[in-house]
Amino acid sequence: MGNLMDLRPSFLKGRPRAAKAPQDVLQELWRSVDMPAESLSHVVLTGADPVLPSSFAVGTAAQTSMAAAALAAAELWHLRGGARQQVGVDMLHAAQECRSYFKINGVALDPRDPLTGMYRCGDGGWVRIHANFAHHRDGALALLGCPQGDGATRAAVESALSRWKALDFEQVAADAGLPVAAMRSFDEWDHHPQGQALAAQPLLTIERIGEADARPLPKYGEDARPLSDIRVLDLTRIIAGPVCGRALAAYGADVMLVNSPQLPNIDNIIETSRGKLSVLADLDTADGRIALGNLLRSAHVFVQGYRPGGLAALGFGPQDAARIRPGIVYVSLSAYGPKGPWAGRRGFDSLVQMATGFNHAEAQAAGQDAPKPLPMQILDHASGYLMAFGAQAALARQATEGGSWHVQVSLAQTAHWLRSLGRVEGGLACPMPGFEGLLETEPSGFGELVSLRHAAHFSSTPARWTRPSSPPGTHPPVWPFN
């Protein structure tokens, strides 16, 4: 049942394959979900890799995932009765937007904890520990027998890990529910059970999960944008999911970020909340579940980044949502995909880079022994735009075919896709560019926010955020009257 987008990369032995042309990459993305071919004649892609220092086509990944999302918005505009319009995305601007740069009240914030990072283990292998949340940080320190609080130091962590094998610590941490990844090569990942499970899965899945009447998109009114009057529930944190919601808000949707008062956030919420309403609902309580159910009954899109099965246990899995709101487009994000032995494992962009071979390959290209990360969290950002792309493609199907739809994206599947885009010869010699000419300043609920303008340009309905970024709980859990 359903339609599966199939972009399974073929990995080449020996000399790395040259990078694909962005136009070809976008065409593959677009046609694989059966979007109208005519739209492709209305997109302009400028620039070429390298735009950031990497041997991977990170600029192409940023540009084409964003262009797919923007072009899908333009297609929805056309379905609503608007004339086809031109969409343009510059590669450098898109890549810079994926660096998550922002300032609040003149200060550039860094969400990373000092203990987050890469460590050599006693067997010569490497692990990366994600300690940006206090409970993850304290859990890793306790597992290693290191002092916590003010006594926690990188030196203590390094000393403790000198007594571990990298893969052993990764497994013990995973068993404790802690986000840690050991460095692997591409070849090691390809032979890993989770790598093999992913190789058999498509990049993006759009599956029909229930029956519902077609709900035609409302006709556009004065000063409308492609997604005006479309309601999106955003139950995500960190970067990938929030980027999806931020993009949909830029294209006109009413996006409501739903935070739990019991869960922590990182400072990136300031930048990724542009254009969104922001409410609180504790889904561990009956009141919170009732509030979310009431919102869902008139939503068009439901975006969530809980681990597989997490929301189903609370009564808001894909099938639950389709029952509560027939015709819903349900979008799921995971770290390692919905199938395989790691399907339920916690993960973040930096950990997926480490586990799937990118940090090893980039280090080899740089001629160094220590793992080398990609120049930005491209797995997060590209996944976010692929989620927005899939959500809008499913909206188009719902409006014309009916049904309820489930869109699935994972960071690890995006990593496979990035790898399939080829390598950029001499890419690591590219200097890291500045942000001149790309920044805008606006008020927010957190203070004066300086951040990057959106890189996707529309000839008729310019992308913009009409609501300022606001702290969690700023708004009541009710949809605005349009």
Side-chain angles (χ1 to χ4, degrees):
M1 179 173 69
N3 301 80
L4 301 181
M5 170 182 174
D6 198 350
L7 288 178
R8 296 167 185 154
S10 58
F11 301 130
L12 305 181
K13 301 295 183 181
R15 183 179 177 84
R17 182 175 53 177
K20 291 182 178 180
Q23 291 81 0
D24 294 339
V25 175
L26 177 60
Q27 180 173 292
E28 289 177 358
L29 283 171
W30 191 255
R31 290 182 172 174
S32 62
V33 293
D34 299 323
M35 293 292 274
E38 182 182 352
S39 299
L40 290 168
S41 63
H42 295 270
V43 65
V44 176
L45 304 180
T46 56
D49 274 311
V51 291
L52 296 182
S54 177
S55 69
F56 291 92
V58 294
T60 296
Q63 180 186 46
T64 56
S65 58
M66 185 184 297
L71 195 60
E75 182 59 30
L76 290 179
W77 175 253
H78 181 61
L79 283 177
R80 298 178 73 165
R84 291 196 183 275
Q85 59 178 308
Q86 180 173 292
V87 173
V89 181
D90 178 71
M91 184 181 293
L92 175 59
H93 190 168
Q96 291 285 68
E97 188 173 347
C98 292
R99 288 175 63 191
S100 296
Y101 174 84
F102 69 98
K103 288 183 178 181
I104 194 73
N105 295 326
V107 177
L109 301 180
D110 186 347
R112 291 174 297 183
D113 184 274
L115 295 185
T116 289
M118 295 173 285
Y119 297 86
R120 188 187 287 275
C121 294
D123 63 346
W126 292 81
V127 295
R128 185 176 184 99
I129 296 175
H130 194 281
N132 295 345
F133 289 123
H135 62 294
H136 290 159
R137 179 180 188 268
D138 293 344
L141 291 171
L143 191 61
L144 290 168
C146 293
Q148 299 187 21
D150 294 339
T153 65
R154 287 190 65 89
V157 174
E158 290 169 354
S159 176
L161 283 170
S162 70
R163 299 185 289 275
W164 282 86
K165 295 180 179 179
L167 293 177
D168 288 348
F169 184 67
E170 177 192 64
Q171 185 60 55
V172 170
D175 292 342
L178 298 172
V180 171
M183 184 174 72
R184 291 173 176 79
S185 67
F186 282 149
D187 186 62
E188 288 171 328
W189 178 248
D190 291 344
H191 287 88
H192 188 277
Q194 189 62 32
Q196 293 176 343
L198 284 172
Q201 298 172 37
L203 166 61
L204 174 68
T205 300
I206 303 177
E207 183 180 12
R208 187 170 182 143
I209 58 170
E211 298 307 314
D213 292 338
R215 188 166 50 241
L217 298 168
K219 295 296 182 182
Y220 66 87
E222 185 178 352
D223 197 35
R225 286 175 288 160
L227 299 186
S228 292
D229 302 324
I230 299 298
R231 292 172 169 176
V232 179
L233 284 169
D234 180 356
L235 278 75
T236 67
R237 295 185 299 153
I238 319 304
I239 297 177
V243 164
C244 169
R246 186 187 65 188
L248 297 177
Y251 307 152
D254 287 317
V255 178
M256 183 177 289
L257 177 63
V258 181
N259 265 279
S260 168
Q262 308 303 324
L263 295 177
N265 282 291
I266 60 174
D267 288 336
N268 291 73
I269 192 175
I270 299 172
E271 191 268 336
T272 58
S273 291
R274 284 180 288 170
K276 302 178 185 180
L277 301 160
S278 190
V279 309
L280 290 174
D282 185 350
L283 300 186
D284 289 328
T285 68
D287 287 346
R289 293 190 293 273
I290 291 170
L292 181 60
N294 289 336
L295 292 168
L296 175 57
R297 287 184 179 90
S298 56
H300 299 86
V301 179
F302 186 103
V303 183
Q304 65 93 13
Y306 284 67
R307 283 192 301 162
L311 272 185
L314 297 171
F316 291 98
Q319 297 294 341
D320 302 311
R323 174 180 49 79
I324 296 169
R325 173 58 157 160
I328 194 69
V329 170
Y330 191 102
V331 183
S332 295
L333 169 72
S334 63
Y336 291 101
K339 299 178 181 179
W342 282 17
R345 183 169 291 201
R346 288 181 171 88
F348 299 91
D349 179 303
S350 57
L351 301 183
V352 177
Q353 285 188 36
M354 192 80 160
T356 60
F358 281 91
N359 292 170
H360 177 267
E362 198 78 302
Q364 283 189 319
Q368 67 182 51
D369 178 56
K372 185 172 179 59
L374 300 175
M376 78 289 218
Q377 291 181 294
I378 186 58
L379 305 184
D380 265 333
H381 287 269
S383 293
Y385 289 115
L386 289 171
M387 292 167 71
F389 171 48
Q392 293 174 106
L395 275 174
R397 293 187 188 184
Q398 207 294 321
T400 55
E401 305 173 24
S404 299
W405 298 86
H406 188 197
V407 178
Q408 295 185 77
V409 174
S410 79
L411 301 181
Q413 287 165 297
T414 299
H416 275 257
W417 173 69
L418 173 60
R419 186 173 159 191
S420 79
L421 302 185
R423 304 293 285 274
V424 180
E425 188 170 356
L428 285 169
C430 177
M432 184 66 83
F435 297 103
E436 294 79 9
L438 302 179
L439 299 173
E440 59 185 7
T441 302
E442 58 191 328
S444 81
F446 301 90
E448 183 182 74
L449 175 61
V450 176
S451 52
L452 275 83
R453 299 191 313 275
H454 190 45
H457 296 271
F458 296 75
S459 60
S460 300
T461 61
R464 64 186 187 277
W465 292 287
T466 57
R467 293 186 174 102
S469 173
S470 301
T474 297
H475 303 98
V478 293
W479 291 110
F481 175 77
N482 294 321

